[in-house]
């Protein structure tokens, strides 16, 4: 109590001293204040809120997808330095490319400015690599390829940039068709001359042409080609929100249109053999931003063929 009053007196003395100093007056001409200023008691410490932590559901592995929950009060979340959108319930999506690794950083900024950061260890995969004793076969160049391909790529990239606000990312994904997996995600051929072919960006399901293709999760159609693309054939792309999208390729027929909302399990197309293929099958690619992810890790094992 006594100490508090002295502090008040000290403050008053300082205030009166301050108020009578005229601009430009040399400080040395003033008598030194005689009041001893007692320093204020230390400010009571703010109660420390324990730092929350991230939680994750999914596969911390190359080609894996994670649904994260940000620490309580997170204002912003970043993944490897890039901001990622966070839903009102604190959930967000991140994924690891086929060639990602070995570590990634996820960080959240809290309302009081504190940073919570986690280093994630990405487990490497053993990809299905076939070493062939043959030389690569180059496809017969099509006269229109160089002219048409950039237009198609621009269409695919424009589709991926669309943010539809779809919420399918929250759901468990399902296989768009049931059948034998004929080519795994990430598989690659290495030829006799050491040249590596580009790796397989999705999962192939061996189904005959005309098999119904289902939406693997809720979403919004972001591309439904009205003519076959050179490689993908008739291509359907569905945005599942948060930067996550599906591409279904080589279709014989697409029965939905761009902008249409689709439900998980809804028939969206029929499989076929359009584009660059050796036979009828369904190719399903999943991407989060630029990361190519393994559908098998997201949809789980292929159910038994009925
Ligand atoms: Zn394929």
């Amino acid at each position: 109590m006594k100490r508090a009053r002295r502090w008040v007196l000290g403050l008053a003395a300082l205030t009166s001293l301050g108020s009578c100093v005229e601009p430009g007056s040399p400080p040395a001409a003033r008598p030194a204040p005689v009041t001893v200023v007692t320093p204020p008691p230390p400010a009571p410490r703010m109660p420390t809120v324990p730092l929350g932590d991230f939680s994750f559901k999914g596969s911390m592995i190359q080609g894996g997808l994670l649904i994260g929950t940000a620490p309580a009060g997170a204002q912003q979340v970043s993944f490897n330095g890039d901001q990622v959108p966070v839903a009102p319930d604190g959930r967000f999506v991140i994924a690891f490319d086929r060639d990602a690794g070995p570590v990634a950083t996820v960080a959240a900024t809290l309302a009081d400015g504190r940073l919570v950061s986690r280093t994630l260890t990405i487990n490497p995969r053993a990809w299905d690599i076939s070493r062939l004793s043959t030389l690569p076969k180059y496809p017969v160049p099509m006269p229109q390829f160089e002219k048409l391909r950039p237009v198609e790529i621009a269409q695919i990239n424009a589709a991926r940039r669309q943010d539809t606000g779809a919420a399918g990312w929250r759901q468990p994904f399902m296989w768009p068709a049931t059948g034998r997996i004929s080519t795994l995600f990430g598989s690659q051929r290495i030829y006799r001359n050491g040249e590596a072919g580009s790796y397989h960006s999705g999962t192939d399901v061996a189904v005959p042409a005309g098999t119904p293709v289902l939406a693997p999760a809720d979403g919004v159609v972001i591309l439904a080609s009205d003519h076959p693309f050179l490689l993908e054939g008739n291509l359907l792309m569905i945005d599942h929100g948060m930067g996550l999208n599906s591409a279904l390729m080589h279709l014989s027929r697409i029965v939905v249109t761009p902008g249409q909302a689709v439900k998980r399990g809804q028939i969206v197309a029929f499989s076929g053999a359009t584009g660059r293929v050796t036979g009828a099958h369904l190719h399903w690619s999943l991407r989060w931003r630029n990361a190519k992810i393994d559908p098998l890790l997201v949809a789980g094992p292929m159910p038994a063929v009925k």
Side-chain angles (χ1 to χ4, degrees), residues 93-119:
V93 176
I94 54 173
F96 310 112
D97 184 64
R98 189 258 202 191
D99 296 327
V103 290
T105 307
V106 61
T109 310
L110 306 185
D112 60 8
R114 284 184 298 171
L115 195 75
V116 183
S117 140
R118 275 271 297 270
T119 300

Side-chain angles (χ1 to χ4, degrees), residues 200 204 250 281 283:
H200 193 228
D204 286 349
H250 315 307
H281 70 275
H283 171 115

Side-chain angles (χ1 to χ4, degrees), residues 119-130:
T119 300
L120 311 177
T121 303
I122 305 161
N123 290 307
R125 300 269 297 271
W127 302 108
D128 180 14
I129 306 287
S130 324

